């Protein structure tokens, strides 16, 4: 189940009161290749939705393993739900 409205909280610097984690749906994921030469890590841009709002986000490079092993689906299906605890930080 998605946390409706949680994206507005995340974009203003927090999570809904009392929430230990949030659930968002990954609508799309795109690999973003670095323009730097060398060993720059692969980055992924996500479009996420809380059922009410949507926004873009960048996946932390430490979580690339979730993409590599298929744990983070990106097809917009109901199974493409990510739960995150203390993971969203506005830029």
């Amino acid at each position: 189940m998605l946390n409706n409205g949680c994206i507005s909280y995340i974009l203003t610097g927090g999570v809904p009161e009392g929430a230990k984690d949030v659930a968002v749906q990954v609508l799309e994921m795109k690999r973003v290749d670095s323009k730097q030469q060398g060993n720059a890590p692969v980055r992924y841009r996500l479009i996420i939705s809380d059922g009410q709002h949507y926004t873009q986000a960048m996946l932390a490079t430490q979580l690339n393993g979730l993409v590599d092993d298929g744990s983070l689906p990106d097809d917009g299906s109901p199974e493409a739900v990510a739960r995150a605890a203390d993971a969203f930080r506005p830029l």
Side-chain angles (χ1 to χ4, degrees):
M1 180 165 189
L2 301 178
N3 291 92
N4 288 334
C6 72
I7 286 179
S8 63
Y9 285 97
I10 292 166
L11 293 177
T12 57
V15 294
E17 188 173 324
K20 294 183 181 183
D21 63 5
V22 295
V24 295
Q25 185 175 15
V26 180
L27 299 176
E28 185 177 325
M29 181 168 38
K30 181 178 181 180
R31 180 184 168 133
V32 179
D33 293 320
S34 174
K35 294 180 181 174
Q36 297 177 357
Q37 295 184 2
N39 293 346
V42 173
R43 299 297 310 264
Y44 292 94
R45 181 180 358 210
L46 309 175
I47 297 179
I48 58 174
S49 170
D50 63 10
Q52 207 171 4
H53 304 94
Y54 70 93
T55 191
Q56 292 186 66
M58 295 299 288
L59 185 68
T61 56
Q62 299 91 326
L63 300 177
N64 282 354
L66 297 174
V67 176
D68 297 337
D69 69 11
S71 296
L72 185 61
D74 67 339
D75 58 4
S77 69
E79 293 80 28
V81 172
R83 282 206 171 275
D86 196 32
F88 293 97
R89 298 280 185 264
L91 298 175

